[in-house]
Amino acid sequence: MKKLHNKKGFTLLEILIASAIFVGIMIITVGTFSWAAGYNNRLHETRRVAQNGRTILSEISTQARLANGSINFNASNNLMDEIILLSCPGMSLSGCSPKGNIVPERYSINSTGLLETGSFIANAVIILQKDQKQAILYQTTGSGESFNVIKKVKSITDWGIVLTPGDFNSIQTQNLNESGVSAAAYFGGYGPVRASKTQQPYVEFYLFSQT
């Protein structure tokens, strides 16, 4: 005689409990992968911004170390030495006003005014390089949360000319910050006229960079 064995299946409650555990594990797993992917993206953007900032800092610092020479700037009838600080109201260079072209003075960077337009901010600088026969303009342009640090290079063979901001208007613009990264540079320092020179000109700058 064969003995019958009763095979018991899972109850509805057991299936529900197992399903709940499985769903919970999947939620934790997917959440972990999503967090890891998000963290990796943020880390990538942080590295991109940092690299972008280092590139701009290195570019301006290198060119500033090569600064030399004097030129009559903006018909001021005074020779400007090596560093010319400018306050520009917008994208156009025609409205830029030089700082220190009459009375030499040290200009500090006002961090409370960053990303704003004001006469107390030097958002452009011209670096004179007589040995390289050129003048380099660095300027912050843009508005809102979209800013660019641009570079324009003007060749100069006759250092007896009067140099003006308008001389850079027709020169091709080079963006120093890469696409997708907003960057703004503000300048300070000491850029005296030669007649009142009391110390070596220098430039200092603050760089703001973000995606």
Side-chain angles (χ1 to χ4, degrees), residues 127-204:
I127 298 174
L128 303 175
Q129 296 178 344
K130 190 171 184 178
D131 290 345
Q132 283 70 35
K133 298 181 180 180
Q134 63 184 12
I136 303 177
L137 168 77
Y138 293 104
Q139 183 188 11
T140 291
T141 63
S143 61
E145 294 183 357
S146 179
F147 284 84
N148 296 303
V149 178
I150 67 169
K151 173 185 179 181
K152 294 185 176 185
V153 181
K154 176 177 175 59
S155 298
I156 300 180
T157 55
D158 178 12
W159 289 84
I161 65 170
V162 175
L163 183 67
T164 71
D167 292 329
F168 293 89
N169 284 337
S170 60
I171 297 175
Q172 184 177 4
T173 298
Q174 175 188 347
N175 265 32
L176 295 187
N177 51 300
E178 63 176 274
S179 177
V181 177
S182 178
Y186 297 99
F187 303 93
Y190 188 81
V193 294
R194 176 166 292 278
S196 306
K197 186 173 182 178
T198 58
Q199 68 177 54
Q200 188 70 17
Y202 67 91
V203 63
E204 56 189 12

Side-chain angles (χ1 to χ4, degrees), residues 6 23 47 113 211:
N6 292 328
V23 170
R47 288 175 176 170
T211 55

Side-chain angles (χ1 to χ4, degrees), residues 22-189:
F22 176 76
V23 170
I25 292 174
M26 288 301 297
I27 290 175
I28 294 173
T29 302
V30 172
T32 301
F33 278 106
S34 296
W35 175 86
Y39 178 79
N40 185 63
N41 288 337
R42 288 193 296 273
L43 185 61
H44 172 74
E45 288 301 312
T46 300
R47 288 175 176 170
R48 194 159 72 99
V49 170
Q51 179 60 40
N52 182 83
R54 284 193 294 268
T55 300
I56 297 175
L57 291 173
S58 176
E59 159 73 24
I60 299 178
S61 298
T62 298
Q63 299 301 341
R65 284 194 291 269
L66 297 175
N68 67 345
S70 300
I71 201 164
N72 190 315
F73 179 75
N74 217 31
S76 62
N77 296 320
N78 289 297
L79 291 178
M80 298 292 291
D81 274 336
E82 304 178 25
I83 302 293
I84 303 173
L85 299 171
L86 299 174
S87 176
C88 303
M91 297 286 288
S92 174
L93 291 172
S94 59
C96 294
S97 58
K99 292 179 174 293
N101 63 319
I102 303 299
V103 179
E105 179 181 346
R106 185 203 169 188
Y107 289 89
S108 300
I109 301 168
N110 187 338
S111 60
T112 61
L114 293 179
L115 305 187
E116 297 177 4
T117 299
S119 60
F120 53 88
I121 290 177
N123 55 358
V125 65
I126 295 176
I127 298 174
L128 303 175
Q129 296 178 344
K130 190 171 184 178
D131 290 345
Q132 283 70 35
K133 298 181 180 180
Q134 63 184 12
I136 303 177
L137 168 77
Y138 293 104
Q139 183 188 11
T140 291
T141 63
S143 61
E145 294 183 357
S146 179
F147 284 84
N148 296 303
V149 178
I150 67 169
K151 173 185 179 181
K152 294 185 176 185
V153 181
K154 176 177 175 59
S155 298
I156 300 180
T157 55
D158 178 12
W159 289 84
I161 65 170
V162 175
L163 183 67
T164 71
D167 292 329
F168 293 89
N169 284 337
S170 60
I171 297 175
Q172 184 177 4
T173 298
Q174 175 188 347
N175 265 32
L176 295 187
N177 51 300
E178 63 176 274
S179 177
V181 177
S182 178
Y186 297 99
F187 303 93

